[in-house]
Amino acid sequence: MIERVIVLSGPVGAGKSALSKALGDRFACRVVKTHEIITATKTVPMERQALQEAGEALDNETGGSWVADYVASLATAPDAPTIIIIDAVRLKLQIDHLRKAFKEVVTHIHLTATREVLTQRYTDRHSVMSEVSSYEKVAEDPTEAQVGTLQQHSDIWIDTAENEVEDVVARVAARLGLYGRGADRLVDVIVGGQYGSEGKGQIAGFLAPEYDVLVRVGGPNAGHKVYHEDGADTFRSVPSGANRAEHAKLVIGPGAVLRVDVLQKEIAEWGLGVDRLFIDPQAMIVEDWDVEGEDGLKKSIGSTKQGVGFATARKIFRDKGPIDGAPKVKLAKDVADLKPYLRPTQEVLEDAYCDGKRILLEGTQGTALSIHHGSYPYVTSRDTTASGCLAEAGISPLMVRRVIMVCRTYPIRVAGTSGPMGREIDWGVVAARSGYSREELERNERGSVSGTLRRVAEFSWSQLRAAAALNAPTDIALTFGDYLSVENQKARRYDQLHPKTPPFIEEVERVARAPVSLIAVRFDYRSVIDRRHW
């Protein structure tokens, strides 16, 4: 069903073809060239003068209805487009017939420019048809000479001499509402509330089927685990809900840092096609040099040594840094194997906003590892708060509906000299309190990427409050509820939790000033107790 007919008019060289192509490419519009209608109706050489004469003959034969008649034929086709751009009309009579046939869905856009600019553009143009010798000759045509009068009948008119093509596209698309007309809050954000490894993948996988677009930022130094009937999958670059929401588009944002081999492995494993996965051209690429350079960081601050920090530093230095031997900055747009997947995140998001699609943004690591807000230098190379994740993805805070902060009952940090974490304990203490065996806990509590045994600490209420102040969560997702009692593994509802669990949850809610809406109680596909009211 045709929902919009965009009609272009204006003198030769005003920029109609550039606008129609840009709109067609960006918004999947069907572009109808009037010279194509003419050649489909009459045997005419691809010469400007001949086409002008043939168009005038069709006007005489049909009373100016031939353009509207052709568009009407498209409307009855099985694969009828929703948006049609007509490039271009030359008479008010043609516009009148279109308005009569398609009424309020017709928008008439008139483009113009100074005579000097039109002349220069005509001289420089590369046309699909044979042109007459000069712009002066074109302008002598009686129909062409009166095209300027269409400006007074147009819904939108733009002087393209004052704008670049992308400026004209932005103005027209905004007027037409192609970017969406509202500012509906369509984005929900998942963020870690502690030192990472809070179980964000488990929560993202649980929520993913409810969303149309899944966005991920961060780097391959964070592995998010999603459980299924036969085990678990770890996602390091692709959004963690990829295997739970097969309908959803997957987006890797411009602030992401990528290892090509890791990403390619995930693309192959999940069979991700170019119609589903979109990688922002600005995402940074990790080189082997970056990984090797982090040897010192692994020893001094417990880095996972994935090269993310060094790659981020090179992106900031823009090839002008003081590090001898550093490779030239390489972005996703510079990797041949990734080119089929490249698309600016902003475009994907704008399309989703326009269509009212729901978006889930998945942050990585945890708030206490933020380079700005954590215990420097024992931090990661990025801001891991909700606002930092939004900035990396290119999402305005005004688009956010919910912020889900994930916290675990016993926070952990990676092994080694990874920095302070409150009152540190060992896994024997957790085992004694929970009813798990120490061996089982130590088998499960190894880094998704590093594979090393994690450090563990008592739940820090002051750290929870600080994270809540930074992220302003609307909801808390509490994970590892079974570490409060192994009996919680059996719970499928809130009222089935071990008696000592609800008081802990209630205190989390008081300190965070947000409801605990999701509770994970085991390593399993069906592991989350859902208490949401949204």
Side-chain angles (χ1 to χ4, degrees), residues 469-506:
L470 285 167
N471 293 299
T474 58
D475 301 85
I476 302 294
L478 185 68
T479 56
F480 297 87
D482 47 330
Y483 284 12
L484 297 176
S485 171
V486 71
E487 293 298 314
N488 284 334
Q489 280 196 0
K490 302 174 185 178
R492 297 294 185 272
R493 304 188 310 270
Y494 185 76
D495 60 273
Q496 294 175 322
L497 291 169
H498 188 277
K500 69 180 179 183
T501 305
F504 182 89
I505 290 171
E506 290 164 10

Side-chain angles (χ1 to χ4, degrees), residues 8-201:
L8 304 185
S9 68
V12 172
K16 302 184 297 297
S17 293
L19 175 60
S20 64
K21 183 180 187 307
L23 290 174
D25 292 345
R26 173 66 182 83
F27 298 102
C29 310
R30 168 72 180 274
V31 178
V32 175
K33 300 279 190 179
T34 49
H35 70 74
E36 293 172 355
I37 306 175
I38 293 170
T39 55
T41 307
K42 296 178 176 293
T43 303
V44 184
M46 284 294 289
E47 299 174 356
R48 179 169 296 279
Q49 186 170 350
L51 288 166
Q52 287 176 335
E53 292 172 355
E56 291 170 4
L58 282 172
D59 285 325
N60 292 330
E61 293 168 14
T62 66
S65 70
W66 57 281
V67 178
D69 294 341
Y70 181 81
V71 176
S73 71
L74 295 180
T76 59
D79 58 344
T82 56
I83 302 177
I84 290 179
I85 302 173
I86 301 172
D87 178 16
V89 298
R90 304 177 71 215
L91 294 173
K92 181 177 179 295
L93 194 59
Q94 295 171 347
I95 300 168
D96 291 342
H97 280 289
L98 285 163
R99 290 195 184 281
K100 183 177 180 180
F102 298 98
K103 299 181 172 57
E104 67 276 359
V105 305
V106 174
T107 301
H108 174 202
I109 301 169
H110 186 83
L111 304 183
T112 188
T114 64
R115 184 62 174 258
E116 180 182 5
V117 169
L118 294 174
T119 301
Q120 186 60 52
R121 288 177 179 172
Y122 188 80
T123 302
D124 297 339
R125 70 191 281 123
H126 300 282
S127 178
V128 297
M129 66 183 73
S130 297
E131 299 284 1
V132 295
S133 57
S134 67
Y135 183 77
E136 286 69 25
K137 289 284 187 182
V138 172
E140 289 175 359
D141 176 82
T143 303
E144 178 68 21
Q146 60 78 51
V147 162
T149 64
L150 299 183
Q151 177 178 319
Q152 62 185 307
H153 305 291
S154 63
D155 301 298
I156 303 168
W157 80 271
I158 295 175
D159 185 343
T160 61
E162 301 171 353
N163 296 265
E164 298 294 331
V165 173
E166 54 266 32
D167 298 321
V168 178
V169 172
R171 293 174 66 180
V172 168
R175 285 286 298 274
L176 295 174
L178 298 179
Y179 295 128
R181 294 196 181 276
D184 295 334
R185 295 178 181 270
L186 299 169
V187 180
D188 294 342
V189 185
I190 294 176
V191 64
Q194 294 156 318
Y195 304 96
S197 299
E198 300 97 346
K200 293 181 293 296

Side-chain angles (χ1 to χ4, degrees), residues 241-256:
N243 62 338
R244 292 281 189 90
E246 296 183 355
H247 68 284
K249 292 182 179 179
L250 309 175
V251 179
I252 298 175

Side-chain angles (χ1 to χ4, degrees), residues 48 101 131 166 208 226 234 246 272 313 341 346 349 351 388 401 408 426 431 459 464 494 500 505:
R48 179 169 296 279
E131 299 284 1
E166 54 266 32
V226 179
T234 299
E246 296 183 355
L272 303 178
Y341 297 94
Q346 183 183 6
L349 293 174
D351 288 350
R401 182 185 68 143
R408 50 184 292 162
D426 62 38
F459 189 87
L464 172 66
Y494 185 76
K500 69 180 179 183
I505 290 171

